[in-house]
Amino acid sequence: SIFANTEHLLPINKALYDQIRERVGSWSPKQCMGDIFLKMAPFFKIYNTYQNNYERAQDVLSRLQLDHSFKEECDRIAKAVQQRTGDTKAASLEGLLIQPVQRIPRYIMLLGELLRKTAETHVDFPALEKSITELEQVMTKLDMEITAHEFREKFLSMGSKIKGATNLIKAHRFLISEGTVNLRTKSAEQAKSSGFAKTFKKEQKLQIWLFNDVMVHLKSTKSKRRTNVSSTKYTWPLELV
């Protein structure tokens, strides 16, 4: 799917637009905006579905554009949008697809600019401050959910190549970092003295996955289809590392 849950995003943004338009239409020096964003902030959490689908949407779009008739139709629509709005960047389907991803950061920037130009004694000042904090928290949550989603997708795809990879997926678990470690002779001696003698007999490469609760390692020489990486032999709770 290219458009994910845009049918759910549209009414939320329309409600936001209608409220802002009403305030602007009756503008006065005492008018407020912060309370609107403060009320709407919790609803922005549904952007996670769209953001998690964004890279997949890009892949699907790239494949569809190989079809000449589809590409021609996209170009026709882009020209119509460009003539109507005058925005050349947003006229393409690629340009439109990135807009929801950028929406919340732009709201935060807008509110930040409004706060800088609002006196601390103004009635709207506290609400503006709080709404920025709320939106930043939503953005942090969305970023964490994107990371968790990418981790799940990655280890699901690894399931056919590495035995036990899908068993590493847990509701509370997220991937912090991964990489390859070259274990040299000196390190091997240190590992031997630490009780890792059977695991590290000689210089070799290790694939390391560091999660928030465990560290998983796998020797590059191991048969990944026979080795169960989710077993206790290869999965170490962080308090034991």
Side-chain angles (χ1 to χ4, degrees), residues 12 40-49 104 134 137-138 141-142 145:
I12 290 174
M40 296 297 297
F43 296 99
F44 293 143
K45 293 176 183 178
I46 70 167
Y47 272 85
N48 69 326
T49 301
I104 299 177
E134 290 289 323
Q137 289 176 354
V138 170
K141 180 175 172 52
L142 291 178
E145 289 181 354

Side-chain angles (χ1 to χ4, degrees), residues 153-217:
E153 289 287 310
K154 178 171 185 164
F155 275 79
L156 282 172
S157 66
M158 287 169 57
S160 60
K161 300 177 183 179
I162 302 178
K163 185 179 178 181
T166 55
N167 294 333
L168 293 172
I169 300 173
K170 306 293 181 184
H172 68 279
R173 183 171 293 163
F174 58 88
L175 183 66
I176 296 175
S177 184
E178 64 176 310
T180 301
V181 176
N182 292 317
L183 190 65
R184 302 188 182 281
T185 305
K186 184 177 180 181
S187 298
E189 289 299 323
Q190 292 174 346
K192 183 177 178 181
S193 64
S194 302
F196 288 84
K198 291 183 179 179
T199 306
F200 307 120
K201 289 182 179 179
K202 58 183 180 179
E203 183 176 337
Q204 56 194 292
K205 288 185 178 180
L206 297 176
Q207 180 69 35
I208 302 290
W209 293 279
L210 179 62
F211 299 94
N212 59 311
D213 61 336
V214 296
M215 183 184 77
V216 180
H217 72 272

Side-chain angles (χ1 to χ4, degrees), residues 9-68:
L9 301 179
L10 183 59
I12 290 174
N13 284 277
K14 186 179 184 306
L16 178 64
Y17 170 76
D18 289 343
Q19 292 178 75
I20 293 175
R21 186 176 182 181
E22 183 181 351
R23 296 282 178 90
V24 172
S26 58
W27 193 259
S28 71
K30 295 183 179 181
Q31 189 60 279
C32 297
M33 284 290 178
D35 62 307
I36 297 176
F37 285 91
L38 199 56
K39 181 174 64 177
M40 296 297 297
F43 296 99
F44 293 143
K45 293 176 183 178
I46 70 167
Y47 272 85
N48 69 326
T49 301
Y50 188 92
Q51 291 191 359
N52 288 339
N53 186 69
Y54 179 70
E55 285 192 15
R56 184 179 299 171
Q58 292 290 94
D59 292 338
V60 172
L61 181 60
S62 297
R63 292 198 299 271
L64 287 173
Q65 286 181 331
L66 297 175
D67 184 283
H68 185 67

Side-chain angles (χ1 to χ4, degrees), residues 73-123:
E73 183 64 14
C74 286
D75 292 342
R76 184 189 68 78
I77 295 172
K79 287 180 182 178
V81 172
Q82 183 177 343
Q83 289 174 358
R84 184 174 178 179
T85 65
D87 190 343
T88 57
K89 291 183 179 179
S92 68
L93 186 51
E94 295 93 329
L96 291 171
L97 286 175
I98 191 66
Q99 295 290 321
V101 177
Q102 298 172 336
R103 185 60 51 196
I104 299 177
R106 286 180 175 177
Y107 286 154
I108 294 172
M109 290 174 62
L110 173 67
L111 290 169
E113 187 64 22
L114 187 57
L115 182 67
R116 282 191 290 274
K117 295 183 179 180
T118 301
E120 292 186 14
T121 55
H122 194 282
V123 65

